[in-house]
Amino acid sequence: MSEERFVEGVRLSNPDKILYPEQGITKSDLADYYVAVADRILPHVALRPITMVRCPTGQGKKCFYQRHAGSGVPEQLGEVTVPGFDEPYLYVRDLPGLIAMVQMGVLEMHPWAVTVAHPDRADRIIFDLDPDEGLGFAEVIAAAIEVRERLSALGLTSFVKTTGGKGLHVVVPIEPTAEWREVKRFAKGVSAEMAADAPERYLTKISKAERAGRIFIDYLRNDPTSTAVAPYSTRSRLGAPVAMPLTWDQVRDGLDPCAYTIATVPGLIAAQAADPWAGMLEVRQRLPDQPRA
């Protein structure tokens, strides 16, 4: 067994360590995955405060969250001070930073909806569609399409991704002009309208006891320090799933979020004619009540 390996100039200790026992995926395999998807993931995680889910002994073992620098944090990660918070937060600059997180045993990356350049202004709105355990994925697909249609009626372009779990995220890029309370108020308003129009299908309360047979539209992601899993991030779950950006044409009957894993995603990307989220960084839009410059 190898004692070390260097990837993008970053030392991986114990590269043969198994991180996903079910698939036999090693630390070295995980590093290779992030090299393969670097061009896709970095535009959405670089230069953003990030919350890491560290699982040093692998999936299914003890994991913990980390946001701040501490002992053993590699030099490839940066730190940024966020107004209103005492301790600086970690962020990734580039591919070596991604590999450094692999060395740390990070199995999930959850960036904030802000950049280090504007840490007090959101540039993403997240609608997290979290279904009750008994619901099929077709209901989640229908919910995502409804969110998209409501946003489109307000003049907003949105994007969609799987989460590596049972839900979908609808993501709205915006210019970083609105304060957090405005962003959250807007997300809550759209979510509440859906719940009011179809209370048998949707709710906006986090209570699992009230969720039976319905989809929780989680607008609470739109708060400072609240995060959502990054596109192309792995998850610390059975099957080694990946949060996968989709085209809206893919959000239809037959969509299987379990098809997107560490093993399959690099090949799927290579076969794509275009990046489903390629246009996100070019979209220029604001909340409907925000004046344009």
Side-chain angles (χ1 to χ4, degrees):
M1 295 180 65
S2 303
E3 293 185 0
E4 66 177 17
R5 178 191 173 198
F6 285 86
V7 179
E8 297 294 319
V10 180
R11 176 180 174 271
L12 293 183
S13 62
N14 195 10
D16 297 323
K17 183 181 200 175
I18 301 292
L19 296 180
Y20 288 88
E22 187 183 26
Q23 289 77 27
I25 293 170
T26 65
K27 183 189 288 188
S28 189
D29 294 331
L30 187 57
D32 289 339
Y33 167 77
Y34 279 113
V35 170
V37 303
D39 288 346
R40 293 291 186 90
I41 188 173
L42 281 170
H44 306 289
V45 300
L47 304 180
R48 293 178 178 275
I50 198 161
T51 297
M52 304 176 291
V53 178
R54 295 181 62 181
C55 307
T57 53
Q59 188 277 324
K61 306 292 180 60
K62 184 177 180 180
C63 300
F64 60 93
Y65 289 88
Q66 182 170 348
R67 294 175 173 175
H68 307 289
S71 60
V73 173
E75 63 183 10
Q76 290 86 0
L77 299 181
E79 296 181 55
V80 59
T81 299
V82 179
F85 298 92
D86 294 332
E87 293 185 70
Y89 287 81
L90 293 168
Y91 69 91
V92 180
R93 300 185 187 91
D94 48 24
L95 177 53
L98 296 179
I99 304 304
M101 286 196 287
V102 173
Q103 166 60 18
M104 295 169 67
V106 173
L107 296 189
E108 299 188 12
M109 303 177 190
H110 296 252
W112 291 24
V114 301
T115 65
V116 298
H118 301 282
D120 59 342
R121 292 289 189 273
D123 68 351
R124 299 283 188 275
I125 309 170
I126 309 292
F127 293 89
D128 179 5
L129 304 174
D130 186 5
D132 177 53
E133 292 289 346
L135 285 180
F137 201 64
E139 284 83 357
V140 184
I141 289 171
I145 292 171
E146 182 173 346
V147 173
R148 180 200 185 194
E149 290 173 348
R150 287 176 180 261
L151 293 169
S152 180
L154 296 171
L156 294 172
T157 298
S158 59
F159 297 78
V160 64
K161 73 173 186 286
T162 68
T163 65
K166 62 185 186 300
L168 289 171
H169 285 172
V170 178
V171 182
V172 185
I174 55 173
E175 296 178 60
T177 57
E179 295 184 1
W180 275 109
R181 65 176 181 270
E182 297 174 87
V183 173
K184 184 178 180 181
R185 182 170 62 242
F186 173 79
K188 181 179 180 180
V190 173
S191 304
E193 283 184 4
M194 288 180 63
D197 291 345
E200 74 286 359
R201 296 175 60 197
Y202 307 122
L203 78 163
T204 58
K205 296 180 180 179
I206 199 168
S207 170
K208 286 189 176 292
E210 299 181 44
R211 199 177 304 182
R214 295 189 285 177
I215 294 172
F216 170 45
I217 309 174
D218 185 0
Y219 66 87
L220 301 174
R221 299 283 180 180
N222 302 286
D223 258 331
T225 77
S226 293
T227 60
V229 66
Y232 304 104
S233 172
T234 57
R235 301 303 302 266
S236 176
R237 295 178 177 175
L238 287 173
V242 167
M244 185 68 172
L246 305 170
T247 65
W248 278 108
D249 287 343
Q250 291 176 284
V251 184
R252 62 179 187 270
D253 289 345
L255 172 62
D256 180 8
C258 296
Y260 305 112
T261 70
I262 294 173
T264 64
V265 165
L268 291 170
I269 288 175
Q272 286 177 339
D275 177 357
W277 281 20
M280 180 179 284
L281 301 180
E282 281 69 55
V283 172
R284 296 291 177 266
Q285 57 189 9
R286 297 186 179 187
L287 298 182
D289 58 352
Q290 280 274 306
R292 297 203 58 81

